[in-house]
Amino acid sequence: MSDQRAASVTANPATTALRSPFCIETEENPIKVNIKNATELKHTLDDAIKRILVLDHKFTESHTHTDRRLLLGYLSVIFAAYATAYSYYVPFPECKTVLTVCVAAYFALNGAMVAYIQFVERDTLFVGVRKDTLMGVNPDEKLTVKTETRASTAEYNITLQFANASTPAISSPAASVKTSTKKKSAAASTIPRAKKPKSEIVVKKSYGDFFDVEGTFVPQALVDALAKGIAAGGLKLE
């Protein structure tokens, strides 16, 4: 981590030509953390990523994972509350069957929630959708972001997963013309085609890329890193 690196990012005219709404917001309320606390560093960057995607790139966050976890949690609480109320009005021997069912359902629902977090949601940080601005010409763009860090190192990796990333394909007239000779077919097949957008991009960084030696967050560095990753995945930058 160095002040020079942070200063070079913020002073780059190419990156400051268009002011990031997130950078403007952060300038009004600078963020400073303890650089020795890896948990605080990660949480700061995780929160910043979600704000950048919403403010700068106009994604609407999907709360599907949160809704499912809440549903499982609410259902388990309902079974627990019902068991408590039922046992209050009905003596124990008679309420044994109901209590057994409610307790079993409570633990099953909590187990399902833990399994969902562990195997489905995993380290997902953000799921967002950006609506097509061309009146339905292009499909909506979906972006899933996952972050990963290791306690033994200062690495901070951002995984961007894309769905329906729209990149205009280059159509070749020669490739569409049906020819009767092998020579013409071979010539048409050698015409280069546009590269397909990647479905997953991993941005490998370290905490030192986003914080100076005093622990002050450098928002432009994270804005640039996300912009490069999103562009590499085939999505248009807002």
Side-chain angles (χ1 to χ4, degrees):
M1 294 183 289
S2 65
D3 291 326
Q4 292 181 351
R5 177 166 44 185
S8 63
V9 173
T10 55
N12 188 349
T15 57
T16 56
L18 295 176
R19 295 301 306 278
S20 161
F22 175 76
C23 290
I24 297 174
E25 179 184 84
T26 308
E27 287 178 359
E28 297 175 354
N29 299 287
I31 301 173
K32 190 172 183 178
V33 299
N34 181 6
I35 59 175
K36 296 181 180 180
N37 190 332
T39 302
E40 188 176 356
L41 292 170
K42 184 178 187 302
H43 287 171
T44 300
L45 293 178
D46 287 350
D47 292 340
I49 287 175
K50 292 189 286 188
R51 292 293 294 166
I52 291 171
L53 293 175
V54 172
L55 291 178
D56 293 13
H57 298 284
K58 312 305 180 186
F59 279 95
T60 300
E61 185 174 4
S62 172
H63 300 281
T64 301
H65 290 309
T66 303
D67 293 341
R68 291 173 180 173
R69 284 191 281 108
L70 287 174
L71 176 61
L72 292 173
Y74 286 146
L75 288 176
S76 64
V77 170
I78 290 173
F79 275 102
Y82 182 80
T84 302
Y86 189 82
S87 62
Y88 180 79
Y89 292 103
V90 180
F92 174 70
E94 288 79 8
C95 68
K96 183 177 180 180
T97 302
V98 174
L99 288 180
T100 302
V101 173
C102 289
V103 170
Y106 176 83
F107 283 104
L109 289 169
N110 276 276
M113 182 170 60
V114 172
Y116 183 85
I117 295 173
Q118 184 71 24
F119 300 107
V120 179
E121 184 177 5
R122 303 186 69 178
D123 51 358
T124 300
L125 171 67
F126 179 89
V127 178
V129 177
R130 188 166 64 186
K131 296 294 182 179
D132 175 32
T133 58
L134 297 178
M135 301 179 64
V137 175
N138 296 321
D140 295 339
E141 299 167 335
K142 181 180 179 181
L143 176 65
T144 302
V145 180
K146 299 181 179 182
T147 58
E148 179 188 18
T149 187
R150 297 179 182 179
S152 59
T153 65
E155 292 181 0
Y156 182 80
N157 299 328
I158 308 170
T159 301
L160 306 174
Q161 297 176 342
F162 306 92
N164 294 331
S166 56
T167 299
I170 299 177
S171 58
S172 171
S176 61
V177 176
K178 294 183 179 180
T179 59
S180 58
T181 64
K182 294 182 179 180
K183 184 176 181 181
K184 291 183 179 181
S185 299
S189 62
T190 58
I191 296 177
R193 297 180 180 179
K195 293 183 179 180
K196 294 182 179 180
K198 297 181 180 180
S199 59
E200 182 173 299
I201 298 292
V202 179
V203 180
K204 295 184 178 181
K205 294 289 184 178
S206 67
Y207 290 127
D209 294 320
F210 307 117
F211 298 92
D212 63 17
V213 293
E214 296 180 353
T216 303
F217 175 50
V218 183
Q220 189 64 55
L222 185 57
V223 169
D224 292 344
L226 285 176
K228 291 179 180 178
I230 290 174
L235 298 189
K236 296 180 180 179
L237 298 178
E238 293 293 329

